[in-house]
Amino acid sequence: MNASPEHQRILLDVADLDRRIAQAERARTKPPQAARITELVAIRQDQLRELTALTGTRDDVRTELTRLESDVKLVEQRRVRDADRLATATNSKEAQALEHEIASLAKRQSDLEDIELDLMGRVEDAEAAVAAQQALLATTTSEGTALTAQAKADVAAATDLLAQLTRDREAVTASVPAPLLADYTRRAANSAGAAVLTRGTCEGCRMLLPGTDLNDIRNAPDDLVVFCPECGCILVRTEESGL
């Protein structure tokens, strides 16, 4: 294939634009925050499950404490009632029975209050665990919200850049002969597409060309399109090619 050196050099601009377009497309579809956001979603789900379990435990202990407080209150009320009855009792047997019941109720109230103190401690611990888990969840949510906002901004910027680069590419390729552009496009699927030859090295694959290949390129007419024998991209010759 033949093409003017000027058209061949334009392919270097096209290759650079294609590289930047590929970068913009990756930034648009796979923002750098995506992996961490996905990780945070999983972490948040685990934290929510743990918070649900801790909240359930706290509520169960609260319910148990409320029930016990009611029992303590009932025992206390019964003691007061028996004490009032004892104060007005005239029968010795009735008084003795009331004294025995009051003693039993006092023992029962003391036992219940000991259990109540233990439950109050358990409620305090459970509430602290729930608060700590809520703080972890809030931190995870905050980080996720910030990263999501940044990702959306980055995607929007990449989308705008992609549109601009695409317009630039259309303008640059407008003057490139169709056969040359088609050959470049085909090669770009598996290589840089086009790269400058610098001091005998293909800048597309960074390989130093063998002497026989360099001699063939050196003897080739300027308008002959030559290719890298290693990666297959179009080699664009300049004054820095070392030929």
Side-chain angles (χ1 to χ4, degrees), residues 37 77 84 86 103-104 125 136 144 146 149 151 157 165 174-175 181 196 198 223:
I37 290 174
Q77 289 173 347
D84 291 342
L86 179 62
S104 296
D125 291 342
L136 283 176
L165 291 172
S175 62
L181 184 60
V196 67
T198 304
D223 63 349

Side-chain angles (χ1 to χ4, degrees), residues 64-101:
E64 188 177 353
L65 178 60
T66 299
R67 183 170 57 251
L68 187 66
E69 287 172 340
S70 178
D71 291 345
V72 171
K73 185 176 181 181
L74 288 174
V75 171
E76 174 63 22
Q77 289 173 347
R78 189 171 177 181
R79 281 186 62 196
V80 171
R81 184 188 63 193
D82 285 354
D84 291 342
R85 289 175 59 191
L86 179 62
T88 60
T90 57
N91 186 297
S92 59
K93 288 185 177 180
E94 180 184 4
Q96 187 177 7
L98 287 171
E99 288 175 349
H100 178 72
E101 183 173 349

Side-chain angles (χ1 to χ4, degrees), residues 3-236:
S4 69
E6 291 76 15
H7 286 150
Q8 293 184 47
R9 288 190 178 92
I10 291 176
L11 291 182
L12 297 177
D13 296 330
V14 177
D16 181 64
L17 284 168
D18 283 346
R19 178 185 57 79
R20 294 168 62 193
I21 286 172
Q23 290 175 342
E25 180 62 23
R26 285 193 297 272
R28 186 183 70 84
T29 58
K30 297 179 180 179
Q33 302 88 355
R36 179 57 178 168
I37 290 174
T38 299
E39 181 182 6
L40 287 172
V41 169
I43 291 174
R44 190 174 187 276
Q45 289 175 342
D46 289 342
Q47 290 175 341
L48 278 171
R49 282 191 290 268
E50 180 65 16
L51 178 61
T52 298
L54 290 172
T55 300
T57 299
R58 180 203 61 188
D59 292 346
D60 289 345
V61 178
R62 280 179 173 177
T63 299
E64 188 177 353
L65 178 60
T66 299
R67 183 170 57 251
L68 187 66
E69 287 172 340
S70 178
D71 291 345
V72 171
K73 185 176 181 181
L74 288 174
V75 171
E76 174 63 22
Q77 289 173 347
R78 189 171 177 181
R79 281 186 62 196
V80 171
R81 184 188 63 193
D82 285 354
D84 291 342
R85 289 175 59 191
L86 179 62
T88 60
T90 57
N91 186 297
S92 59
K93 288 185 177 180
E94 180 184 4
Q96 187 177 7
L98 287 171
E99 288 175 349
H100 178 72
E101 183 173 349
I102 290 172
S104 296
L105 289 173
K107 176 65 168 60
R108 173 63 175 163
Q109 183 175 349
S110 176
D111 291 343
L112 289 175
E113 286 175 345
D114 288 342
I115 298 173
E116 183 181 23
L117 286 174
D118 178 67
L119 284 175
M120 291 174 65
R122 288 169 58 191
V123 168
E124 184 178 348
D125 291 342
E127 288 177 341
V130 168
Q133 190 66 20
Q134 287 174 331
L136 283 176
L137 183 61
T139 299
T140 300
T141 301
S142 177
E143 183 182 356
T145 299
L147 285 176
T148 298
Q150 185 59 55
K152 288 181 178 179
D154 290 349
V155 167
T159 300
D160 292 342
L161 177 60
L162 182 61
Q164 180 59 57
L165 291 172
T166 300
R167 290 191 294 269
D168 292 346
R169 188 184 192 279
E170 291 174 353
V172 169
T173 58
S175 62
V176 179
L180 178 63
L181 184 60
D183 189 54
Y184 159 81
T185 302
R186 178 178 62 82
R187 294 175 182 278
N190 300 304
S191 69
V196 67
L197 178 64
T198 304
R199 291 182 290 278
T201 298
C202 170
E203 294 296 335
C205 61
R206 304 298 301 170
M207 294 294 293
L208 180 65
L209 273 59
T212 54
D213 291 314
L214 285 175
N215 284 334
D216 291 341
I217 294 173
R218 185 179 295 111
N219 295 325
D222 290 343
D223 63 349
L224 180 66
V225 179
V226 297
F227 314 103
C228 174
E230 298 294 335
C231 67
C233 74
I234 296 173
L235 285 177
V236 179

